[in-house]
Amino acid sequence: MTEIKLYNTATRKKGVFTPLDTNDVRMYVCGPTVYDRAHIGNARPVIVFDVLYRLLREVYGIEHVKYARNFTDVDDKINATAASRKAAGAKGTLEELIQERTDETIAWYLDDMRSLGNIDPDFAPRATEFIDQMIEMNSELIGKGHAYAAEGHVLFAVDSYKNYGALSGRSVDDMIAGARVEVAPYKRNPMDFVLWKPSDAETPGWESPWGRGRPGWHIECSAMARELFGERFDIHGGGLDLAFPHHENELAQSKACCGDESFAQVWMHNEMLQVEGKKMSKSLGNFFSVRELLDQGYSGEVARFVYLSTHYRKPMDWTDKKAREAEATLRKWRALSAGIEPASRAGASVVAALADDLNTPGAIAELHKLASSGKAAELKASALLLGLLQDDMGDWADVVAVDLSAFEAKLSDVRDAAMVSKDFAEVDRLKKAFTDAGLEVRMSKQGVDLIAGSNFDPAKLEAL
């Protein structure tokens, strides 16, 4: 069986992944708060953990892997969005408008993530479906001395859990200094965080031992993961921005409730995303939703390739240049594999790259080797493991089945002759002709590659 190594945020090192049960591998990933369209940064963890899901299924078997990604559908941002709709004249109660907004946003999210080639998880729990479990967990924490009720709130007592800060590597003093801590008279410690809070007459709420209210953000994931996967499971994932406070608080409340060996055994976090070298910002005009990116003409498959070209633990930079290069590569691979059934298994070198802490750039390098050697069936099977070359994602490519190998050989021969004669006029002429025909020309020590772009016109090659 393939040995998988993963970087564990909790231990600060890469180690061999050993499932608690190889017949029941379980992964929980924090999903979106559903008040608006997902932006392109939100898509990164979805793609990262989709590839991990595919790898786990490849190694342990589809029937032995379960993946949950939640929806936070009770939140102050959602309430504020619905309230602004109501103020603008939308019909219905605030609660009805909140339900309408969350249903709409979840549908958008699922559609956008599918457009990027992601498999739907096995479980997509909504927080509002697990309120009873959250109330029960809060009661257990109070009973064990790790939480307390005050003025209609339930708060986790940070001082009661000695390892608080271990996941993010921060001391409590550092966290107070570096975070916007809500100071409230009912808190025993400024770092204590909310597990339950009161709701007014219009805001969504549920009856509880502490009055009508709604859950805090952090308790939602702990309760849902526990209900779906039990007190111990294998992997918990999400963006690095969630490591503190969300995941730190999840870990503390879950272990305080269920013991030090409980909850996730491996914690994984992907780095953040930039656009053209700059942090995404609406003021800079580089803040895009996934839908806006697709509407600009970038295909979901091309976008996915760009995401996978950077290792998940490194900052990723979305650029138009990378997208154009990805499109050219995918056109070539689709032309090579058109009409060919994928091999029964992905290439061993591609699996090995992914098994080394999801080294997707390394896996893509191996795909290039398979393409260069003409191993189309193995290329297709291996690309599918990364969610690329899926049949239902190829409409954008409009593949033109033209064999460019003779042109590549011709340019290679002319270049070799020019290296001897030092006369590169013919090399330059051919390169210009190929570029004018819509081909990207790549020359290296290994040889010549011609890659068809979106404006490729085979008719312009006839004169050559």
Side-chain angles (χ1 to χ4, degrees), residues 348-426:
S349 62
V350 175
V351 175
L354 294 180
D356 184 13
D357 194 31
L358 286 190
N359 184 2
T360 53
I364 288 174
E366 295 301 323
L367 292 178
H368 279 293
K369 292 178 184 177
L370 291 174
S372 296
S373 59
K375 297 179 179 179
E378 191 173 340
L379 168 68
K380 193 166 187 177
S382 301
L384 287 170
L385 184 56
L386 278 80
L388 301 170
L389 301 190
Q390 299 181 67
D391 289 341
D392 60 354
M393 291 187 73
D395 291 347
W396 68 271
D398 189 23
V399 174
V400 180
V402 175
D403 185 358
L404 299 174
S405 60
F407 297 102
E408 291 171 335
K410 176 65 175 176
L411 181 54
S412 182
D413 291 343
V414 169
R415 183 184 65 166
D416 289 345
M419 295 295 289
V420 176
S421 68
K422 306 303 179 185
D423 181 359
F424 289 88
E426 182 64 7

Side-chain angles (χ1 to χ4, degrees), residues 215-242:
W217 177 30
H218 313 303
I219 197 67
E220 295 175 6
C221 287
S222 286
M224 286 187 282
R226 183 189 187 191
E227 180 68 17
L228 293 171
F229 290 157
E231 293 183 353
R232 300 179 73 202
F233 58 96
D234 297 294
I235 299 169
H236 195 315
L240 188 60
D241 57 325
L242 297 182

Side-chain angles (χ1 to χ4, degrees), residues 70-301:
N70 74 290
F71 290 111
T72 295
D73 62 343
V74 52
D75 183 86
D76 290 343
K77 288 182 179 178
I78 300 171
N79 298 344
T81 301
S84 65
R85 278 188 169 189
K86 187 173 178 64
K91 294 181 180 180
T93 65
L94 183 62
E95 194 154 352
E96 288 170 343
L97 291 172
I98 288 170
Q99 184 69 47
E100 179 183 295
R101 184 60 170 176
T102 56
D103 289 348
E104 175 183 56
T105 308
I106 287 172
W108 287 342
Y109 182 86
L110 291 172
D111 184 52
D112 290 346
M113 295 308 120
R114 290 166 186 153
S115 295
L116 296 174
N118 298 297
I119 302 171
D120 286 348
D122 300 288
F123 305 104
R126 294 188 183 203
T128 52
E129 299 169 339
F130 293 81
I131 299 297
D132 289 346
Q133 290 85 347
M134 297 170 200
I135 292 172
E136 180 184 350
M137 197 166 191
N138 287 342
S139 296
E140 290 180 53
L141 287 166
I142 291 172
K144 293 179 179 181
H146 291 293
Y148 58 94
E151 298 182 25
H153 295 75
V154 177
L155 297 112
F156 184 84
V158 167
D159 290 342
S160 74
Y161 183 68
K162 65 180 185 302
N163 291 325
Y164 189 76
L167 179 65
S168 59
R170 308 182 189 195
S171 70
V172 172
D173 289 342
D174 289 340
M175 286 185 268
I176 291 174
R180 289 174 292 181
V181 176
E182 181 189 3
V183 177
Y186 49 78
K187 283 189 175 186
R188 297 175 184 172
N189 180 322
M191 286 300 297
D192 292 350
F193 56 88
V194 173
L195 302 174
W196 188 263
K197 54 189 171 184
S199 294
D200 59 30
E202 276 205 310
T203 308
W206 293 262
E207 293 303 323
S208 79
W210 318 286
R212 186 175 182 276
R214 59 194 190 278
W217 177 30
H218 313 303
I219 197 67
E220 295 175 6
C221 287
S222 286
M224 286 187 282
R226 183 189 187 191
E227 180 68 17
L228 293 171
F229 290 157
E231 293 183 353
R232 300 179 73 202
F233 58 96
D234 297 294
I235 299 169
H236 195 315
L240 188 60
D241 57 325
L242 297 182
F244 179 82
H246 185 47
H247 289 170
E248 189 72 69
N249 292 351
E250 272 190 77
L251 181 151
Q253 65 202 10
S254 293
K255 288 185 177 291
C257 182
C258 304
D260 285 338
E261 297 303 315
S262 66
F263 213 51
Q265 309 304 298
V266 176
W267 288 83
M268 295 178 65
H269 296 93
N270 62 273
E271 258 287 3
M272 299 295 99
L273 178 145
Q274 297 177 323
V275 176
E276 301 289 349
K278 297 179 180 179
K279 183 178 179 180
M280 280 199 306
S281 167
K282 291 182 179 178
S283 63
L284 293 175
N286 66 352
F287 188 96
F288 305 113
S289 70
V290 172
R291 181 48 49 189
E292 287 171 332
L293 193 72
L294 297 172
D295 289 346
Q296 288 174 20
Y298 297 103
S299 79
E301 183 175 35

